[in-house]
Amino acid sequence: MRRTRGIVALMVVHGSVDAIPVPEPRLRTGRGAPVLLLHGFLLTWQSWGAVIDDLAGDHDVFAPTLPGHFGGPPARQPATIPGLVDHVEAMLDEVGWRTAHLVGNSLGGWIACELAARGRATTLTAIAPAGFWPDRPTAETLIRKFRSFGPLVGLNTADGLPVMPNMLRSLLIPLLAHQPAVVPNRLANAMAATPAHCTIIKDLAEDPAIPAGFTKLPELDLPITILRPEHDRIIPPHFYAPDAFTGHPTLTDRPLPGVGHVPMLEAPTLIASEIRKSIGRA
């Protein structure tokens, strides 16, 4: 059931009904230099998994759930990329961070880039970032991919419930992780429950900012690290402009071997290490 019908989400997993608690809207933990973690589309801050615990050993980690996502605040209607960026920037102001080490995955990577363009980043680490399309048709292909999730998660169905809730985990986790079997069971269940509670799928699919992508990379003058998973099934290599990351004097672009689109789920130690390397460039 949806959050509006109770305090838990119900999800059918392997023939049984599991109760998935609604996550807190944000998590802040640790002490040290400020680090902002931004999750991808349809997910929550929980997708960062053990990366949060690792970084919290010597950093002040802030991981919010984006508006319109499971457990997050309501989104301004209609939800747009600029509107999401405005919301996250307001949260930075709220916690008193003029700048922070910005880390984002997928949609979160695009939002982190936009925040960096507004002068809010000390360093920028974008993991499988959205918004670097080679052309408009590529962006439209990705939009169609996310629209295809609609019936599976209850969008456009008569009762607003998923058509095949027992299939969500088996379909979604292999899209997010190259090795689904190594994703902790509780984390896999939590991630599979989130798409049915995302209320901004339609809005973002119609956002005119999506086809244009992120256009301000040449203007950024700070340490930037782009990490691209080897086995990304959501944003594969041909979804990036061929020269998107070349020629920038402070940008490092490197592959992440052996992982999928949300690599934190399956390789948190690797991702925490990569984030520390990126932060170290400051």
Side-chain angles (χ1 to χ4, degrees):
M1 59 185 174
R2 304 291 180 117
R3 187 185 178 195
T4 53
R5 302 176 193 172
I7 61 170
V8 297
L10 296 184
M11 179 183 174
V12 181
V13 180
H14 302 313
S16 63
V17 178
D18 289 353
I20 307 296
V22 177
E24 294 295 322
R26 60 180 70 178
L27 176 70
R28 187 175 181 186
T29 183
R31 296 180 64 182
V35 176
L36 175 68
L37 300 179
L38 297 173
H39 64 82
F41 189 44
L42 303 178
L43 303 180
T44 71
W45 64 260
Q46 294 172 310
S47 64
W48 292 99
V51 172
I52 293 175
D53 295 331
D54 189 314
L55 294 178
D58 52 0
H59 293 84
D60 185 354
V61 178
F62 181 41
T65 291
L66 295 172
H69 290 69
F70 188 30
R76 183 189 308 167
Q77 299 296 324
T80 63
I81 296 292
L84 295 177
V85 178
D86 289 344
H87 181 92
V88 178
E89 185 170 29
M91 286 195 290
L92 287 175
D93 293 338
E94 180 185 334
V95 299
W97 290 357
R98 180 67 192 91
T99 62
H101 298 289
L102 304 185
V103 184
N105 172 228
S106 192
L107 171 63
W110 185 349
I111 292 172
C113 289
E114 296 284 358
L115 289 168
R118 297 184 183 188
R120 305 307 298 260
T122 307
T123 64
L124 170 63
T125 306
I127 304 168
F132 292 96
W133 334 116
D135 48 44
R136 186 182 185 97
T138 301
E140 291 172 347
T141 297
L142 186 64
I143 290 170
R144 287 195 297 271
K145 183 182 295 188
F146 278 105
R147 277 179 169 160
S148 69
F149 276 100
L152 290 176
V153 302
L155 192 65
N156 298 328
T157 58
D159 56 6
L161 294 175
V163 173
M164 295 177 287
N166 59 320
M167 292 184 63
L168 278 177
R169 172 169 165 161
S170 62
L171 290 172
L172 182 65
I173 302 306
L175 286 175
L176 304 181
H178 176 55
Q179 303 179 77
V182 307
V183 180
N185 188 62
R186 181 180 294 273
L187 185 56
N189 286 350
M191 292 303 95
T194 61
H197 303 271
C198 182
T199 62
I200 60 173
I201 296 176
K202 277 185 174 180
D203 283 0
L204 288 190
E206 298 170 359
D207 181 4
I210 296 291
F214 180 67
T215 61
K216 301 173 184 175
L217 186 62
E219 304 171 17
L220 301 186
D221 182 19
L222 74 158
I224 304 168
T225 302
I226 305 294
L227 301 172
R228 292 195 273 175
E230 178 185 14
H231 301 287
D232 195 330
R233 297 180 64 189
I234 301 294
I235 307 180
H238 65 276
F239 273 48
Y240 291 96
D243 59 349
F245 308 123
T246 59
H248 194 290
T250 63
L251 187 149
T252 297
D253 172 31
R254 61 175 178 267
L256 285 175
V259 294
H261 184 66
V262 187
M264 309 86 73
L265 299 177
E266 57 188 321
T269 301
L270 169 66
I271 300 310
S273 175
E274 291 289 350
I275 292 171
R276 288 180 183 280
K277 289 178 187 177
S278 301
I279 290 174
R281 297 180 60 201

